[in-house]
Amino acid sequence: MPAARQELLRLLAHKSFKLGEFKLSSGSTSDYYIDCRTTTLDARGSQLTGQVFLDEIRQRGWKPQAIGGLTMGADPIVVAVSVTSGELSGFLVRKAEKQHGTGQRIEGFRRKGAKVVVVDDVCTTGASTVQAIEAAREFGFDVVGVMCLVEREEAGGRTNVEKAASPAPFVAIFTAKDVRKEHVLQTDETNEYTAVSTTCELCGRPAVTYHPRSRCEAHKV
């Protein structure tokens, strides 16, 4: 696994994964919850999110003009990828058309016929991702790919998104199982954990710790 992707997984497991009893937007309950925004809105997390999503987009050869998704789970991802790329514009999809001003549902990049990638943070039922896909196509975008940061692999989410996205592919950066496994590794015996295959955020040398930041021997705290 590439270093940036591995570091992002560690950060998600450390900051975003919680065990307990939670009610999900689908109405069901779960023994865990993943709040991706605590990672995607983190300074380092935002950098990693932008890089990992951009790497995946380039690897798949989609060549979009913009990236966007339903507010607000997609918001930090859209900004991170746009800033990291220096070339992809961003758009946000409102949950409903605003009742004032221009009344538009798509904010930001608005060029009909443009190739775009739709993104989301967590996919459970896929409802928010499907809304974004439908709104993007209704506006006139050409959706070439759909991505989520974490797929829970339940409630028919993948099936729902793939049906709505077709013929565009749906890609998950991580599954909830990936994040949970990493969380267990981190919390086994100690809340501090060792970084592997990553670099110090201050000088770029090999990191030896990641609590709370990825640091080398000279800069560890």
Side-chain angles (χ1 to χ4, degrees), residues 37-178:
R37 282 163 294 193
T38 58
T39 294
T40 58
L41 288 170
D42 173 81
R44 180 58 177 159
S46 179
Q47 290 179 320
L48 293 167
T49 298
Q51 189 60 60
V52 170
F53 270 78
L54 185 60
D55 287 347
E56 188 72 29
I57 289 170
R58 287 173 172 168
Q59 181 179 332
R60 292 180 177 273
W62 288 339
K63 298 181 180 179
Q65 294 169 266
I67 184 168
L70 191 73
T71 192
M72 59 185 291
D75 296 10
I77 299 175
V78 171
V79 173
V81 177
S82 181
V83 170
T84 301
S85 71
E87 58 185 28
L88 293 183
S89 296
F91 67 92
L92 301 178
V93 180
R94 291 178 177 271
K95 294 181 180 179
E97 291 182 354
K98 62 181 180 180
Q99 302 303 308
H100 59 279
T102 59
Q104 62 195 27
R105 190 175 182 194
I106 303 287
E107 300 287 357
F109 180 84
R110 292 170 56 85
R111 187 178 304 160
K112 293 184 184 296
K115 296 182 184 299
V116 303
V117 170
V118 171
V119 298
D120 210 341
D121 56 358
V122 177
C123 175
T124 304
T125 66
S128 61
T129 314
V130 170
Q131 283 187 61
I133 294 168
E134 292 175 344
R137 284 182 170 152
E138 183 179 349
F139 172 77
F141 287 144
D142 176 11
V143 178
V144 297
V146 178
M147 304 174 70
C148 75
L149 181 53
V150 179
E151 179 190 353
R152 288 183 64 106
E153 295 183 296
E154 59 188 58
R158 172 163 284 274
T159 299
N160 294 336
V161 174
E162 287 181 335
K163 182 178 179 180
S166 182
F170 170 50
V171 177
I173 300 297
F174 303 112
T175 65
K177 290 178 183 176
D178 296 330

